[in-house]
Amino acid sequence: MKIKSLFFKVPEPKLKTIKNVTVYISEKYSEIIIAPIFKDTIGGYSYEQEVCEKLELNTSYEKIGETIKVNFNKFDIKENKKEKHNKSDWPAFKLSREKTITGFEKYYKRFSISGVNEYNTILTIETISNNLHEIELTTSISFHCDNTELGKRIMKLFNSEVCYKSNI
């Protein structure tokens, strides 16, 4: 009779990381651009994936929330092969209708959506403002919330006075 070894190796957990996605909303062009993110394996910095999604500004809250969740789950860890990074290669900018980087940064409000911890069950939505006062808003919501609630939450931030009026 053979006796099995009492020593065994505990399986390593899969790598868990905090995911994120960037959302750009333009009232001028009446569109929303959702950019999934890669995290570089070597440098640890984040950068936008080449394929972004575009929605009309009047899209239903449910569709906005669903699209954000789908793109949030496209987050991946991948080595960035590009040696040189030009702002003109910015995937969200290339998908936009704006002709200049300055115009893009002026007419598209940027929101960062990221997980709170490595399980990504709670999402934090932050405004990234370009105004002089540097006032930013942050809100949290469950990843498992109704898609409509997520869509409403991001549109409430977009329509807030701080984001809406950059000349306060």
Side-chain angles (χ1 to χ4, degrees):
M1 177 162 115
K2 217 175 192 184
I3 300 176
K4 290 185 180 181
S5 172
L6 296 176
F7 299 102
F8 63 94
K9 187 175 180 183
V10 177
E12 292 291 322
K14 288 184 178 180
L15 179 65
K16 300 214 183 290
T17 188
I18 296 173
K19 298 178 182 181
N20 53 8
V21 66
T22 305
V23 177
Y24 301 90
I25 303 176
S26 172
E27 188 173 45
K28 177 181 178 181
Y29 296 110
S30 189
E31 65 186 16
I32 302 169
I33 298 173
I34 302 167
I37 302 294
F38 280 134
K39 185 170 186 173
D40 185 60
T41 54
I42 298 169
Y45 59 88
S46 299
Y47 61 100
E48 289 180 7
Q49 295 181 18
E50 294 78 26
V51 179
C52 303
E53 278 194 60
K54 188 190 290 191
L55 299 172
E56 293 297 318
L57 190 59
N58 62 358
T59 302
S60 71
Y61 293 141
E62 183 177 0
K63 182 68 176 167
I64 293 170
E66 176 187 340
T67 307
I68 288 171
K69 285 182 180 181
V70 165
N71 283 281
F72 183 79
N73 283 327
K74 288 181 183 176
F75 177 89
D76 201 3
I77 299 173
K78 178 180 173 184
E79 183 179 348
N80 190 357
K81 304 264 187 214
K82 290 186 179 180
E83 292 179 18
K84 194 173 181 183
H85 302 282
N86 296 324
K87 270 197 160 183
S88 60
D89 294 334
W90 189 359
F93 166 69
K94 288 175 22 181
L95 186 62
S96 75
R97 295 187 205 170
E98 192 55 49
K99 304 293 183 229
T100 65
I101 296 288
T102 306
F104 180 77
E105 291 175 337
K106 180 179 180 183
Y107 295 116
Y108 286 81
K109 302 298 180 197
R110 189 169 110 194
F111 301 86
S112 174
I113 302 175
S114 59
V116 173
N117 59 25
E118 69 272 8
Y119 298 105
N120 298 295
T121 55
I122 304 293
L123 302 178
T124 300
I125 305 169
E126 294 180 277
T127 59
I128 311 294
S129 60
N130 293 332
N131 65 25
L132 298 173
H133 303 290
E134 297 181 11
I135 297 173
E136 296 180 9
L137 300 176
T138 303
T139 185
S140 298
I141 192 167
S142 170
F143 178 78
H144 304 291
C145 70
D146 186 52
N147 292 338
T148 304
E149 289 304 312
L150 179 57
K152 276 184 189 176
R153 185 74 58 99
I154 195 148
M155 293 311 293
K156 279 182 183 178
L157 281 176
F158 174 69
N159 291 319
S160 69
E161 289 297 311
V162 175
C163 290
Y164 188 68
K165 296 182 181 177
S166 60
N167 58 356
I168 295 177

